[in-house]
Amino acid sequence: MELELKGFHHLTAVSASIRENHRFYTQVMGMRLIKRSVNQDDVRAYHLFYSDRVGSPGHDLTFFDWKVPREVRGTHSVVRTGLRVQGEDTLKFWQERLKAQGVTASQLTERDGRLVLDFEDPEGQRLSLIEDGGTGDPVHPWENSPVPTEHQIRGLGPITLSVPRLRTTDIVLTKIMNMQHVREYPDPSNASNTVHVYQMGGEGPHAELHVAVQPELPATRPGAGGVHHVAFRTPDEDQYNQWIERLSQFGVPNSGAVDRHYFRALYFREPNGILFEISTDGPGFAVDEDLATIGEKLILPPFLEHRRDEIERNLQPID
């Protein structure tokens, strides 16, 4: 059986204002802080994970806390993150909610056959709420969210990349990652350009990677408000190990196996330099916390626990 990715696992972006970031994603977007931890490669920085009630794979929007300048936008980067909701009434709810919260949003518009609402977080992270028609995995609403259950975010997708040239990225997506090129549509920011839609397992925006070919743009200078990497789902360690073998067989430089305690990770860059990750669904965020109180205190993976006092001294409060 051919290896198949199941959609997005998580997307990780950069924040230089982590306290405001925490307020925005929990109080405005209504997501649950499902894990309060640190960047395992740079323990001076938080790594916050926002998700649904249980931290479902495919729902996690995460942030590294780095005091860096704003991203200078361009190509060779992830340029828009889709957050799925269900129903036109829900998009109208969000239109009013964002306005009441002082967040500027677009008009409701149709893109690639779906209703969308574009806006940015306080640091310029480009987001879209997308009507998903009820597709994707079952949802687990967060009962303590300020957003009513029926209007809560249902997960990630689609996620849009910008590249100056498609050919080599297309080869990696279709020949190595086993995605299918399923359609195209005009780039909403420049109709002379094209956005190519690639599909993973299943059908629907939760499993679509959109690639905008934008040769006229300069390369992005990474920073706050930008995306660090996008992670794709693989269900178990058996398939995860097959992905490691597959990348090596094709000669793709990669990280090899990395244990992130909550999932297993495999990192590599596609040919235009965008960092990809393949992550296992398990063991999940409840492996070291009670689900009833998860996310309320700083949790460190076992290999960092002996440094807790030092790590806590370097972190600012976020509540």
Side-chain angles (χ1 to χ4, degrees):
M1 183 178 174
E2 195 168 63
L3 274 175
E4 183 179 67
L5 297 164
K6 302 302 181 186
F8 301 104
H9 185 280
H10 66 270
L11 178 133
T12 295
V14 178
S15 171
S17 182
I18 200 66
R19 192 182 182 99
E20 173 62 11
N21 176 278
H22 175 242
R23 185 200 68 81
F24 182 80
Y25 283 96
T26 58
Q27 297 305 308
V28 178
M29 301 308 296
M31 302 176 80
R32 186 180 191 183
L33 179 60
I34 199 74
K35 187 61 64 179
R36 183 186 308 230
S37 191
V38 293
N39 182 314
Q40 295 181 14
D41 301 318
D42 177 8
V43 298
R44 296 167 300 176
Y46 277 112
H47 192 181
L48 302 186
F49 295 75
Y50 305 105
S51 189
D52 61 1
R53 181 176 61 83
V54 300
S56 301
H59 203 292
D60 308 326
L61 187 55
T62 94
F63 289 86
F64 293 148
D65 165 32
W66 285 329
K67 299 297 184 190
V68 294
R70 286 281 182 99
E71 175 194 53
V72 178
R73 292 177 177 176
T75 188
H76 297 280
S77 62
V78 175
V79 295
R80 188 166 293 279
T81 300
L83 301 171
R84 294 181 289 107
V85 296
Q86 185 172 7
E88 183 174 352
D89 288 348
T90 289
L91 282 173
K92 290 178 178 176
F93 163 85
W94 276 102
Q95 198 170 29
E96 292 303 315
R97 177 173 176 79
L98 291 174
K99 181 179 180 182
Q101 296 285 339
V103 179
T104 301
S106 70
Q107 296 297 312
L108 285 183
T109 187
E110 186 174 310
R111 182 186 307 146
D112 188 33
R114 301 186 183 108
L115 280 176
V116 303
L117 181 66
D118 295 337
F119 63 104
E120 298 179 3
D121 80 0
E123 295 180 275
Q125 165 94 338
R126 284 167 282 184
L127 304 168
S128 294
L129 289 165
I130 296 175
E131 204 286 303
D132 73 354
T135 59
D137 291 337
V139 296
H140 302 276
W142 170 223
E143 58 269 23
N144 293 330
S145 171
V147 176
T149 297
E150 66 273 22
H151 297 315
Q152 288 182 23
I153 293 165
R154 294 166 45 82
L156 294 169
I159 287 169
T160 304
L161 316 181
S162 170
V163 300
R165 296 168 297 278
L166 182 64
R167 190 179 70 85
T168 52
T169 294
D170 176 86
I171 290 171
V172 167
L173 296 180
T174 59
K175 305 301 183 186
I176 299 178
M177 299 177 74
N178 290 334
M179 297 185 192
Q180 290 184 299
H181 183 286
V182 291
R183 62 182 181 275
E184 304 171 0
Y185 63 93
D187 183 348
S189 65
N190 181 351
S192 63
N193 292 335
T194 299
V195 181
H196 299 260
V197 179
Y198 294 84
Q199 185 174 292
M200 296 167 266
E203 293 185 3
H206 69 288
E208 288 179 4
L209 184 69
H210 292 203
V211 183
V213 182
Q214 300 175 320
E216 75 282 8
L217 296 183
T220 292
R221 293 215 314 262
V227 172
H228 187 268
H229 66 266
V230 56
F232 303 91
R233 288 178 64 184
T234 194
D236 53 42
E237 291 224 11
D238 178 58
Q239 293 194 35
Y240 168 76
N241 289 325
Q242 292 183 55
W243 282 112
I244 295 175
E245 291 181 14
R246 185 171 179 82
L247 291 185
S248 297
Q249 288 169 357
F250 279 91
V252 178
N254 64 82
S255 66
V258 179
D259 185 357
R260 292 302 189 194
H261 191 54
Y262 309 108
F263 48 84
R264 302 268 283 171
L266 170 65
Y267 301 92
F268 62 101
R269 291 190 184 275
E270 59 81 45
N272 280 291
I274 300 168
L275 184 59
F276 283 178
E277 176 182 337
I278 294 176
S279 304
T280 58
D281 281 1
F285 295 108
V287 69
D288 56 5
E289 282 189 276
D290 187 324
L291 199 54
T293 56
I294 198 168
E296 295 182 2
K297 61 181 182 180
L298 182 71
I299 297 294
L300 301 174
F303 79 95
L304 288 176
E305 192 59 51
H306 72 287
R307 297 177 60 189
R308 174 173 286 276
D309 289 346
E310 166 207 343
I311 290 170
E312 287 187 332
R313 278 197 303 273
N314 288 324
L315 297 173
Q316 62 175 309
I318 60 171
D319 295 306

